[in-house]
Amino acid sequence: MYLHIGEDILVKTDDVIAILDKKLLQASPIMSEFLEKKFDVTYHLAKNSVKSIVVTDKQVYYSPLASSTLKKRSLQPSLLIDDIDSL
């Protein structure tokens, strides 16, 4: 299954390690240090404000969508292309 995390980007749900609220950045120096080390594989999807951080096994995404929204989306069953064609 895939998760839409903003700006037409889909990631495999199996690759998602964590979906974090942006407030964690301000509260945790360890998280800030981790993200500094991952700078070369970080993608900013938010044109305005960042609401969440999606960590996968290969990339880190700054998403404009709230972590609660991403969680809800990850729990919903997705439609396959074949299912859409039959509608």
Side-chain angles (χ1 to χ4, degrees):
M1 188 166 89
Y2 289 88
L3 175 64
H4 175 261
I5 60 171
E7 298 299 322
D8 298 329
I9 301 295
L10 298 172
V11 296
K12 286 183 70 173
T13 53
D14 292 342
D15 293 342
V16 175
I17 296 170
I19 299 173
L20 309 167
D21 191 88
K22 76 160 189 164
K23 294 176 186 173
L24 184 62
L25 280 176
Q26 299 157 348
S28 172
I30 294 171
M31 190 63 193
S32 296
E33 181 181 338
F34 168 77
L35 292 173
E36 286 175 14
K37 289 182 179 181
K38 294 291 186 180
F39 180 76
D40 57 329
V41 293
T42 300
Y43 299 96
H44 290 271
L45 305 178
K47 293 179 181 173
N48 293 324
S49 65
V50 173
K51 294 184 181 176
S52 64
I53 301 159
V54 179
V55 180
T56 68
D57 56 349
K58 297 180 183 171
Q59 286 104 8
V60 176
Y61 298 94
Y62 287 89
S63 175
L65 303 174
S67 57
S68 59
T69 301
L70 293 173
K71 179 184 176 187
K72 288 177 193 174
R73 287 183 181 187
S74 71
L75 298 174
Q76 293 177 347
S78 64
L79 289 175
L80 299 174
I81 299 300
D82 294 337
D83 295 338
I84 293 171
D85 291 338
S86 65
L87 293 177

